[in-house]
Amino acid sequence: MAGLIQPILLKGGNIEITYFSKRMSFDYSHGFLLNMSGGTITGDAKTQHLAYHLPYSTGFGIGYRFSSYFDVRIESKIHSWEVYYDGETQNKSNLIKAYKTYSLGLGAYYRYMPFHKKDNWLQGITVCVGGLILRVALQIINSPITISSQTKRKH
């Protein structure tokens, strides 16, 4: 997840730092305080009225630059998940389950620097279009949960 999706849809944030050498790209990304509930939840989790909170989602990437504006990266991530009932206060006493997932992905990115010829602060403004092509979960610790219909909600 990146760009404006995190603050607008998931009410969280993301910091990304990318370094480019002549032929390589290196990045670090840290998403934080991301929330998925209501319209951002689908399937069994929606039916069971669950909400997911990600205290953090962080990782590194390394890639090859095909041109000065286009690169493809392999990205590893760790995601920390907390599951609550939708609408309840997200605190330790209401926590249903906490777990982490690890994943590896392939992303393609195109950078556009509209002011690269300017000789002022505008020069560094970069618009990045692209994202994840494929992500594969490598390992799941305390895998995601399904709440049985017999489980009672705390009130």
Side-chain angles (χ1 to χ4, degrees), residues 81-94:
W81 300 85
E82 295 176 352
V83 184
Y84 300 91
Y85 284 110
D86 197 11
E88 288 192 355
T89 304
Q90 294 181 355
N91 59 32
K92 194 172 185 175
S93 66
N94 290 331

Side-chain angles (χ1 to χ4, degrees), residues 95-107:
L95 179 66
I96 297 171
K97 183 84 171 181
Y99 61 96
K100 291 181 177 37
T101 59
Y102 302 86
S103 60
L104 186 64
L106 181 66

Side-chain angles (χ1 to χ4, degrees), residues 89-146:
T89 304
Q90 294 181 355
N91 59 32
K92 194 172 185 175
S93 66
N94 290 331
L95 179 66
I96 297 171
K97 183 84 171 181
Y99 61 96
K100 291 181 177 37
T101 59
Y102 302 86
S103 60
L104 186 64
L106 181 66
Y109 300 90
Y110 180 81
R111 296 182 312 126
Y112 173 62
M113 300 177 74
F115 307 108
H116 72 279
K117 293 182 180 178
K118 296 280 187 190
D119 193 23
N120 57 30
W121 64 272
L122 294 172
Q123 184 179 32
I125 293 177
T126 304
V127 177
C128 182
V129 178
L132 204 56
I133 297 171
L134 173 70
R135 181 169 303 280
V136 177
L138 297 176
Q139 177 182 5
I140 299 175
I141 297 177
N142 298 329
S143 62
I145 61 165
T146 301

Side-chain angles (χ1 to χ4, degrees), residues 3-99:
L4 294 175
I5 291 172
Q6 289 174 322
I8 294 172
L9 292 180
L10 304 179
K11 300 176 182 125
N14 187 66
I15 296 170
E16 182 175 343
I17 298 169
T18 306
Y19 172 78
F20 296 100
S21 70
K22 192 168 194 137
R23 283 287 164 214
M24 301 294 292
S25 61
F26 305 90
D27 76 50
Y28 168 75
S29 176
H30 184 80
F32 52 92
L33 303 176
L34 306 171
N35 293 288
M36 290 184 265
S37 62
T40 59
I41 293 288
T42 61
D44 289 341
K46 184 173 186 135
T47 303
Q48 296 172 47
H49 304 286
L50 299 179
Y52 290 85
H53 173 70
L54 283 84
Y56 66 89
S57 176
T58 191
F60 297 93
I62 184 169
Y64 180 78
R65 294 179 71 187
F66 290 92
S67 72
S68 60
Y69 296 106
F70 178 73
D71 70 287
V72 175
R73 301 177 203 160
I74 294 175
E75 303 168 336
S76 62
K77 300 274 185 179
I78 180 171
H79 312 278
S80 178
W81 300 85
E82 295 176 352
V83 184
Y84 300 91
Y85 284 110
D86 197 11
E88 288 192 355
T89 304
Q90 294 181 355
N91 59 32
K92 194 172 185 175
S93 66
N94 290 331
L95 179 66
I96 297 171
K97 183 84 171 181
Y99 61 96

